[in-house]
Amino acid sequence: MKMLIFDMDGVIINSEPLHQRARELICEKYGIDVSEGDLPNPVGKSSSEFYSIIFEVTNTKGLSADKLETEQFALVEKLARENDVSCTEGLMELLSWCKSNDIIIGLASSSNRYLVDGILDALGIAEYFDYTVSGEEVAHKKPAPDVYDKVLLLTGLDASDACAIEDSAAGIAAAKAAGIYCFGYNNPTSKGQDQSQADCIVDDLRQIMDKYS
C-alpha cells in the first residue's frame, strides 16, 4: 500500500449526530414537517439528494436542495467547533503510522470544500493529509467513483497502490468502482450500513495497521 484514502464523515469524525442536528435546525427554520411519511436514511446519501427526497415526501415547494446542503455543511462545521468534537478513536495512531511508513494520506469526501477544510482544521489534522478531494470538485458524488478517481489522478498512482476506508454502502461502492481495495469501518453512528462489498471490515481504525505489520 502506497496510499491510504479516508472518507471524512463517519471515518475521521463521528459527524452523523452533527449532521442530524443540522438537518433538524434547517427543517425548523424552513417549516418542513419531517414527521410526515417514511424518511430516507441520510447516511451515505449526498445532502442535496436527501433534501430532494424530503421535499417530495413532505410536498415542500420553492426551496433549493443545493442551498440547504450548503447551509447544512456550514452548520456542521459550526457545531463541530462549538462542541469541541474530537477525531474518531484510533485515527491519530493510524495517521502517525502512515507518516512513519511513508504512506501517502488522501481524503475523498462527498462534502463540500468548505466543510472538508473546516473539519480538518477544527480537528487539528489538516497537515497530515497530502491530497483532499471534495464532492463539489467532481461531476458525480458517491456512489460514483469520481472522488477516488480524482485522488488517484492527483497522485499519479494506480488503484492497486491504494486502499480506502469507508463507513457507508455508497462510499464502499465508490471505492470499489474506482478499483480500490476498501476497508469497511464499522462505525456505530453510521446506522447499520451494508458493508458486504468491502474487502475487509474493521471495528477499530488501528486494525488497519495490524494488517500491514
Side-chain angles (χ1 to χ4, degrees), residues 72-112:
Q72 178 178 319
F73 290 159
L75 273 172
V76 169
E77 195 266 349
K78 179 173 181 287
L79 290 168
R81 292 185 186 276
E82 290 177 349
N83 292 278
D84 196 23
V85 175
S86 58
C87 300
T88 304
E89 186 174 355
L91 176 69
M92 294 309 302
E93 291 95 325
L94 181 54
L95 291 174
S96 296
W97 176 82
C98 286
K99 288 299 185 185
S100 297
N101 289 275
D102 296 321
I103 295 170
I104 297 168
I105 301 174
L107 184 142
S109 175
S110 285
S111 294
N112 66 9

Side-chain angles (χ1 to χ4, degrees), residues 33-39 57-58:
D33 184 1
V34 293
S35 65
E36 297 181 21
D38 294 324
L39 302 181
V57 170
T58 62

Side-chain angles (χ1 to χ4, degrees), residues 13-208:
I13 182 173
N14 291 324
S15 56
E16 178 50 32
L18 303 179
H19 280 282
Q20 178 60 30
R21 181 56 182 151
R23 286 189 290 266
E24 290 170 356
L25 290 171
I26 287 170
C27 287
E28 289 173 9
K29 176 181 177 180
Y30 291 103
I32 301 171
D33 184 1
V34 293
S35 65
E36 297 181 21
D38 294 324
L39 302 181
N41 180 352
V43 179
K45 293 181 176 65
S46 71
S47 295
S48 58
E49 178 186 1
F50 174 79
Y51 286 115
S52 294
I53 297 171
I54 291 294
F55 294 163
E56 183 175 348
V57 170
T58 62
N59 196 32
T60 298
K61 307 292 184 182
L63 293 176
S64 163
D66 289 337
K67 178 179 182 294
L68 295 197
E69 177 183 73
T70 300
E71 286 194 31
Q72 178 178 319
F73 290 159
L75 273 172
V76 169
E77 195 266 349
K78 179 173 181 287
L79 290 168
R81 292 185 186 276
E82 290 177 349
N83 292 278
D84 196 23
V85 175
S86 58
C87 300
T88 304
E89 186 174 355
L91 176 69
M92 294 309 302
E93 291 95 325
L94 181 54
L95 291 174
S96 296
W97 176 82
C98 286
K99 288 299 185 185
S100 297
N101 289 275
D102 296 321
I103 295 170
I104 297 168
I105 301 174
L107 184 142
S109 175
S110 285
S111 294
N112 66 9
R113 173 55 60 184
Y114 175 88
L115 184 57
V116 167
D117 290 345
I119 291 296
L120 294 183
D121 180 67
L123 295 176
I125 58 174
E127 69 274 10
Y128 283 93
F129 288 83
D130 301 297
Y131 299 92
T132 63
V133 175
S134 72
E136 67 183 352
E137 294 161 352
V138 294
H140 304 287
K141 297 180 181 180
K142 301 171 186 177
D146 297 30
V147 284
Y148 282 105
D149 288 340
K150 184 162 184 179
V151 172
L152 293 175
L153 180 65
L154 291 172
T155 60
L157 294 177
D158 292 329
S160 59
D161 293 325
C163 291
I165 312 172
E166 285 280 359
D167 65 313
S168 71
I172 293 168
K176 296 303 297 178
I180 297 173
Y181 183 99
C182 187
F183 290 96
Y185 174 45
N186 190 22
N187 187 335
T189 70
S190 299
K191 299 182 178 179
Q193 288 286 298
D194 178 8
Q195 298 183 340
S196 60
Q197 297 305 305
D199 294 286
C200 178
I201 296 175
V202 297
D203 297 313
D204 188 304
L205 294 178
R206 289 165 289 207
Q207 290 176 268
I208 296 170

